[in-house]
């Protein structure tokens, strides 16, 4: 048996199928998208080769730049608001002894609901006339307090971000919580003997020890927010007047509404490259931070 | 020996993994491609049925008939919503009848979402050359593209032979260079549906001119109601009312000139059209917060009695005469958009179109073509058209001799259409898709009150210039 394990072909036999599928469903589409990005193509008629014109156009396309900006806004909001929130809630849950299971499931429930459902639910909540949020606001401050959540360009993006946060933090909280509960008792006990308690325990012991998990969350957030599609598509469809357009919704629109599949592919390639660079940089940063218990 | 065995086992296992994975991938490909290739080999195709497919075989096949040829046709429809189950039933009945008459024929029905079919699936299949045998298709820009690529079956000989060519109200949108590539199963017009009860309570009458409409809307607003229900999240919804306002100003020739460069969006009449639309917005005649509302909401608000009018297509007539209408059932009327003084368009014309229909794949075998003919004969006739009108409230695409038993709102719709001086097709069937998309953005900017009409016109013209330069 040992002999078989020393034969490299055994390993190859196990790896090849996955590699094949990976190549078929990931590598091939990426390469083909890049090639399509060099053409002007309506999807049916013959393609016209136009070199890197599509990519040059991207740099001057105000809507694409706006969409990229929205993706970065999305990312910034998730990093600055969601992740601290995740950490705080996770720490809070780790401190309670009673009903911890209940809290754990409670924060996780939104994750189980599909994004489409969440988007539609929040659409109802945000309704100007009959939405729960505006009704509450009207009760408190009268008619003037009611806001056009999804139809004012400056509010619409925020409304989506709130819905997205509600849905996504649960998953991260559970990840974070698992890491916190995994910290060996000896370490916290030792820290307590050294006079650490309360906030300083969280800051000096918990935070450094769960850094790897926080990094994973960071990475997932960055890649997740750069490719976000469903919640935006359903809640606002990129509107009003493209103020909440993100790269993926714009790609869909250009490719399938305006039938510019070449340019749409170029947008896809741009998304791919941007995400690669961002996650690549993060990976680099994480290399030096190994934590061992 | 042992080593060889282990390697063999591993290879086998991984191979089976690949195979099973490929198997499911293949299934998917088959399903999404429908039964693409034109060979009429029934057994080979039967395994491509998606679970959702209701493949129907002739139930009572006479045993002693001469052996019938096995022919399979795939049929893609989009009647999967709750609101379209009547239309689906009619389609199923036609299919069942066709199957009964043609032993050996097998028709695989596949229902998918309308938007997915139109924008993604059918387009991808057309690019790859494997559309379903029979499918729903839109006339105009979509069809043009597919005909250019040689994917559509020329139906001219079939309808000539069946003698139904002259029975259609209009085949314009499916005719390219004198050949017919699709058959509309229904038509629509776009106009104003209004709440008769509310109008009567407030002592209002149907407006004849744009100025009268403005006075009327002000009166409705003064009583605390919304004049027009509007859900502006999806651009095409806003396009409807605007399109008619614009036609009143520039005429259909004006729209056609945009593509050739004979007219420009920045011409004074066009800007006046945008300005009149902006007037409706600036006077707050539309539902508040409309930019965040999905299409279904505007009908809901109208039926709830919050809004006195809604500008939409007659496809909504079915909903407006259904149970959802409640008290309003029988109290809803329809009128053509009022005329605009000084406009260049035909002031009593209406946006009407027969663009929603069936198309057929060009790579059908002769046997399949014969069956397609049988299907057309069973689907496109007065009986089915009358049934569609009565049960589904879809306006017939063929001329009907008998109009008894029709719902009052529907007969009002038919009357309005009959009294229109001319009819024209929507702007997005005329201008390039990218321009249509930018019109959508521009209208939302007007509704959101972030841009002035002339600025919007300029932006759209820039997009038009770019699109014109590409062809």
């Amino acid at each position: 048996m040992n002999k078989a394990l020393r034969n490299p072909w055994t390993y190859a036999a196990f790896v090849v199928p996955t590699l094949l599928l990976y190549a078929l469903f990931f590598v091939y589409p990426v390469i083909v998208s890049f090639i399509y990005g060099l053409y002007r193509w309506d999807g049916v008629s013959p393609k016209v080769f136009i070199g890197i014109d599509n990519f040059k156009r991207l740099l001057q396309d105000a809507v694409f730049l706006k969409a990229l900006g929205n993706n970065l806004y999305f990312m910034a909001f998730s990093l600055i608001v969601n992740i601290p929130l995740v950490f705080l809630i996770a720490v809070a849950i780790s401190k309670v002894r009673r009903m911890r299971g209940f809290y754990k499931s409670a924060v996780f429930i939104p994750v189980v609901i599909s994004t489409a459902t969440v988007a539609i639910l929040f659409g109802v909540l945000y309704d100007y006339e009959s939405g729960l949020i505006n009704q509450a606001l009207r009760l408190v401050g009268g008619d003037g307090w009611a806001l056009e959540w999804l139809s004012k360009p400056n509010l619409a993006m925020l409304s989506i971000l709130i819905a997205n946060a509600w849905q996504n933090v649960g998953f991260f909280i559970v990840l974070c919580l698992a890491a916190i509960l995994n910290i060996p008792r000896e370490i916290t006990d030792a820290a307590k003997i050294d006079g650490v308690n309360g906030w300083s325990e969280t800051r000096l012991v918990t935070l450094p020890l769960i850094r790897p998990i926080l990094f994973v969350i960071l990475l997932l957030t960055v890649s997740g927010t750069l490719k976000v599609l469903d919640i935006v598509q359903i809640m606002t469809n990129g509107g009003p007047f493209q103020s909440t357009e993100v790269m993926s919704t714009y790609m869909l629109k250009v490719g399938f509404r305006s039938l510019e599949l070449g340019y749409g592919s170029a947008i896809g390639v741009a998304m791919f490259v941007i995400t690669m660079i961002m996650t690549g940089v993060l990976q680099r940063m994480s290399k030096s931070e190994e934590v061992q218990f | 020996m042992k080593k060889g065995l282990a390697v063999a086992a591993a290879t086998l296992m991984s191979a089976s993994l690949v195979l099973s994975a490929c198997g499911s991938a293949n299934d998917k490909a088959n399903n999404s491609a429908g039964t693409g290739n034109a060979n009429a080999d029934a057994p080979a195709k039967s395994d491509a049925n998606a679970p959702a497919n209701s493949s129907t075989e002739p139930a009572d096949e006479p045993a002693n008939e001469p052996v019938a040829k096995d022919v399979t046709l795939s049929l893609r429809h989009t009647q999967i919503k709750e609101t379209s189950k009547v239309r689906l039933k009619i389609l199923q009945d036609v299919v069942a009848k066709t199957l009964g008459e043609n032993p050996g024929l097998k028709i695989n029905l596949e229902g998918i979402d309308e938007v997915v079919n139109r924008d993604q699936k059918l387009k991808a299949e057309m690019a790859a050359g494997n559309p379903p045998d029979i499918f729903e298709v839109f006339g105009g820009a979509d069809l043009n593209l597919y005909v250019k690529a040689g994917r559509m079956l020329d139906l001219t000989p079939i309808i000539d032979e069946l003698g139904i060519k002259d029975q259609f109200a209009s085949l314009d949108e499916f005719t390219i260079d004198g050949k017919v590539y699709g058959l509309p199963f229904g038509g629509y017009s776009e106009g104003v549906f209004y709440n008769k009860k509310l109008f009567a309570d407030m002592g209002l009458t149907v407006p004849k001119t744009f100025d009268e409409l403005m006075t009327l809307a002000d009166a409705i607003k003064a009583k605390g109601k919304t004049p027009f229900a509007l859900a502006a999240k999806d651009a095409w919804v806003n396009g409807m009312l605007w399109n008619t306002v614009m036609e009143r100003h520039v005429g259909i020739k004006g729209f056609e000139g945009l593509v050739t460069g004979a007219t420009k969006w920045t011409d004074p009449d066009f800007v006046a059209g945008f300005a009149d639309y902006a007037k409706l917005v600036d006077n707050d005649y539309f539902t508040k917060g409309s930019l965040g509302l999905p299409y279904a909401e505007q009908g809901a608000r109208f039926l709830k009695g919050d809004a006195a009018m809604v500008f939409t297509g007659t496809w909504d007539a079915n909903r407006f005469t259904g149970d959802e209408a409640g008290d309003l059932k029988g109290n809803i009327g329809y009128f053509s958009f009022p005329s605009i003084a000084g406009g260049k368009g035909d002031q009593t014309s209406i946006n009407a179109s027969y663009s929603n229909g069936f198309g057929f794949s060009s790579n059908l075998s002769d046997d399949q073509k014969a069956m397609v003919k049988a299907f057309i004969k069973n689907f496109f006739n007065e009986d089915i058209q009358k049934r569609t009108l009565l049960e589904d409230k879809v306006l017939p695409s063929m001329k009907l001799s008998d109009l008894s038993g029709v719902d009052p709102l529907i007969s009002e719709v038919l009357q309005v259409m009959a009294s229109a001086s001319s009819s024209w097709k929507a702007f997005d069937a005329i201008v390039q898709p990218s321009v249509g998309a930018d019109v959508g953005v521009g209208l939302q900017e007007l509704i959101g009150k972030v841009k002035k009409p002339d600025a919007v016109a300029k932006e759209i013209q820039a997009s038009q210039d770019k699109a014109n330069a590409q062809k």
Side-chain angles (χ1 to χ4, degrees):
Chain A
M1 215 47 206
N2 267 340
K3 248 188 190 168
L5 287 180
R6 250 179 269 130
N7 184 341
W9 290 107
T10 317
Y11 295 92
F14 278 102
V15 173
V16 162
T18 315
L19 275 183
L20 275 179
L21 292 178
Y22 181 75
L24 185 64
F25 292 110
F26 185 78
V27 179
Y28 173 72
V30 166
I31 295 171
V32 168
S33 301
F34 186 79
I35 296 171
Y36 285 162
L38 302 174
Y39 287 87
R40 188 166 71 222
W41 186 36
D42 60 17
V44 179
S45 319
K47 301 193 266 291
V48 182
F49 185 79
I50 52 167
I52 58 165
D53 280 9
N54 279 333
F55 294 94
K56 278 196 226 151
R57 185 178 152 193
L58 264 183
L59 298 176
Q60 293 152 9
D61 186 341
V63 182
F64 176 74
L65 296 177
K66 167 91 191 160
L68 177 61
N70 276 336
N71 275 109
L72 295 178
Y73 177 29
F74 216 107
M75 185 159 75
F77 185 92
S78 301
L79 293 181
I80 296 167
V81 179
N82 292 9
I83 292 190
L85 203 66
V86 163
F87 180 68
L88 288 180
I89 297 178
V91 168
I93 295 180
S94 73
K95 297 276 188 219
V96 292
R97 299 255 175 270
R98 293 177 59 198
M99 295 190 10
R100 187 187 283 158
F102 166 76
Y103 292 120
K104 243 162 63 177
S105 348
V107 294
F108 199 70
I109 282 175
V111 183
V112 183
I113 306 174
S114 80
T115 311
T117 315
V118 171
I120 291 170
L121 280 180
F122 270 84
V124 174
L125 287 180
Y126 284 133
D127 190 288
Y128 179 77
E129 297 290 340
S130 54
L132 193 66
I133 297 177
N134 272 352
Q135 284 190 8
L137 286 174
R138 281 197 188 101
L139 266 184
V140 179
D143 221 24
W145 279 37
L147 293 172
E148 294 182 48
W149 290 102
L150 286 176
S151 45
K152 278 269 176 285
N154 46 357
L155 265 181
M157 201 68 208
L158 188 68
S159 307
I160 297 175
L161 287 172
I162 293 171
N164 183 61
W166 182 80
Q167 194 201 7
N168 279 343
V169 292
F171 178 65
F172 294 145
I173 288 173
V174 170
L175 274 187
C176 204
L177 187 61
I180 292 174
L181 297 179
N182 236 352
I183 298 174
R185 256 325 252 286
E186 301 87 70
I187 298 184
T188 40
D189 285 349
K192 277 199 182 115
I193 291 168
D194 288 342
V196 173
N197 52 31
W199 251 120
S200 48
E201 184 197 325
T202 306
R203 200 162 51 82
L204 298 171
V205 181
T206 316
L207 193 55
L209 287 181
I210 64 163
R211 195 168 270 171
I213 282 294
L214 287 180
F215 226 94
V216 170
I217 294 177
L218 188 75
L219 212 61
L220 287 176
T221 304
V222 167
S223 60
T225 50
L226 284 174
K227 64 167 200 211
V228 63
L229 165 74
D230 37 14
I231 198 158
V232 178
Q233 181 80 9
I234 298 170
M235 283 184 78
T236 63
N237 195 9
F241 37 89
Q242 307 194 305
S243 59
T244 59
E245 204 82 79
V246 288
M247 289 189 287
S248 52
T249 56
Y250 187 52
M251 172 178 76
L252 259 185
K253 245 172 235 169
V254 167
F256 294 106
R257 289 259 167 233
S258 308
L259 279 185
E260 298 180 80
L261 285 170
Y263 189 43
S265 300
I267 297 173
V269 170
M271 273 177 74
F272 176 75
V273 170
I274 292 169
T275 314
M276 277 274 277
I277 291 173
M278 293 232 181
T279 48
V281 168
L282 279 178
Q283 291 276 25
R284 260 282 147 75
M285 281 162 61
S286 75
K287 281 269 162 62
S288 52
E289 310 192 21
E290 285 291 321
V291 181
Q292 300 241 315
F293 294 137
Chain B
M1 196 57 214
K2 252 184 178 174
K3 178 182 92 182
L5 196 73
V7 171
T11 317
L12 205 71
M13 268 173 64
S14 45
S16 68
L17 253 176
V18 173
L19 287 180
S20 62
C22 280
S24 63
N26 262 342
D27 277 354
K28 255 186 215 141
N30 271 340
N31 288 343
S32 66
T35 42
N37 42 6
N39 76 63
D41 184 333
K45 278 185 178 178
S46 57
D47 60 357
N49 291 345
N53 288 2
S54 50
S55 101
T56 11
E57 262 182 293
D60 48 349
E61 205 171 338
N64 52 355
E65 278 220 346
V67 188
K69 236 186 205 166
D70 281 345
V71 179
T72 306
L73 288 173
S74 56
L75 193 162
R76 163 93 47 80
H77 64 86
T78 61
Q79 314 306 327
I80 53 169
K81 289 194 209 120
E82 180 66 19
T83 46
S84 51
K85 61 181 183 209
V86 180
R87 201 189 292 190
L88 177 61
K89 181 78 183 61
I90 296 173
L91 177 63
Q92 282 167 340
D93 289 350
V94 170
V95 167
K97 186 176 173 211
T98 314
L99 292 176
E101 291 169 359
N102 300 284
L105 173 64
K106 196 159 173 277
I107 296 181
N108 294 327
L109 287 179
E110 180 201 14
I112 66 169
D113 181 74
E114 193 176 338
V115 179
V116 173
N117 179 52
R118 183 177 184 180
D119 287 342
Q120 285 145 36
K121 209 164 169 185
L122 190 59
K123 252 164 210 159
E125 288 161 356
M126 284 292 176
N130 57 0
D133 302 330
I134 306 175
F135 46 88
E136 283 186 27
V137 68
F138 280 86
D142 289 14
L143 186 81
N144 251 319
L145 206 61
Y146 303 154
V147 170
K148 220 164 61 185
R151 304 278 189 248
M152 303 293 293
L153 180 67
D154 177 11
L155 301 172
T156 326
I158 294 180
I159 55 174
D160 277 344
E161 202 182 318
L162 293 172
I164 54 172
K165 191 172 182 179
D166 298 325
Q167 288 180 35
F168 283 95
S170 164
L171 287 173
D172 282 357
E173 299 191 45
F174 288 98
T175 308
I176 294 171
D177 298 333
K179 287 180 183 161
V180 179
Y181 292 97
L183 298 171
F185 43 64
Y188 66 83
S189 68
E190 288 171 10
V192 185
F193 287 89
Y194 69 105
N195 185 331
K196 282 184 172 171
K197 219 155 120 193
L198 234 149
F199 267 50
D201 290 348
M202 296 184 184
L204 304 169
T205 51
V206 169
K208 291 271 171 278
T209 65
F210 192 68
D211 294 332
E212 279 177 39
L213 180 77
M214 303 282 276
T215 328
L216 174 98
D218 280 332
I220 295 168
K221 221 176 84 183
K223 292 259 168 71
K225 296 278 181 189
T226 311
F228 282 100
L230 177 71
K233 187 177 127 185
D234 299 310
W236 65 270
V237 185
N238 315 325
M240 292 192 281
L241 172 53
W242 166 84
N243 198 173
T244 301
V245 171
M246 199 52 118
E247 190 280 339
R248 296 284 187 258
H249 276 281
V250 303
I252 195 64
K253 287 269 176 302
F255 276 109
E256 283 163 0
L258 291 167
V259 187
T260 58
T263 54
K264 286 192 170 6
W265 291 98
T266 45
D267 290 347
D269 338 321
F270 275 98
V271 177
F274 281 115
D276 268 352
Y277 185 75
K279 234 188 259 174
L280 300 176
V281 173
D282 292 339
N283 289 343
D284 292 325
Y285 290 160
F286 295 122
T287 306
K288 193 140 197 218
S290 61
L291 285 170
L293 298 176
Y295 170 64
E297 274 296 309
Q298 73 172 29
R301 268 153 219 252
F302 173 66
L303 290 179
K304 244 175 32 191
D306 292 349
M309 296 177 279
V310 62
F311 190 101
T312 184
T314 53
W315 55 81
D316 270 331
N318 192 18
R319 187 177 180 196
F320 294 162
T321 53
D323 290 336
E324 196 193 340
D327 293 353
L328 282 182
K329 215 166 169 175
N331 275 316
I332 294 173
Y334 182 70
F335 63 84
S336 180
F337 195 81
S339 60
I340 294 177
K344 283 188 192 160
D346 182 351
Q347 299 301 321
T348 51
S349 65
I350 198 161
N351 177 3
S353 160
Y354 298 90
S355 65
N356 204 350
F358 275 120
F360 304 86
S361 166
S362 60
N363 44 17
L364 294 179
S365 68
D366 285 342
D367 290 334
Q368 285 177 310
K369 277 184 201 156
M371 289 304 126
V372 158
K373 194 160 79 190
F375 172 78
I376 290 176
K377 179 167 159 274
N378 285 334
F379 194 89
F380 294 96
N381 55 53
E382 253 199 82
D383 284 348
I384 293 295
Q385 287 278 312
K386 179 77 191 292
R387 218 184 125 188
T388 314
L389 176 64
L390 288 183
E391 293 175 20
D392 198 26
K393 319 283 194 300
V394 169
L395 306 185
S397 59
M398 299 171 85
K399 297 161 194 157
L400 297 183
S401 46
D402 164 40
L403 281 175
S404 56
V406 175
D407 183 277
L409 175 58
I410 304 298
S411 55
E412 210 170 316
V413 166
L414 290 173
Q415 222 172 347
V416 167
M417 285 177 79
S419 57
S421 47
S422 65
S423 70
W424 38 271
K425 56 184 174 183
F427 76 98
D428 50 4
I430 301 171
V431 299
Q432 295 86 339
S434 58
V435 180
D438 284 329
V439 170
V441 174
L443 292 181
Q444 283 197 334
E445 286 170 336
L446 288 179
I447 295 169
K449 301 178 193 171
V450 293
K451 278 224 173 103
K452 293 269 167 274
D454 50 339
V456 168
K458 221 174 270 166
E459 223 173 78
I460 298 173
Q461 181 58 39
S463 159
Q464 184 75 57
D465 287 340
K466 206 156 67 188
N468 287 353
Q470 278 195 6
K471 285 279 143 71

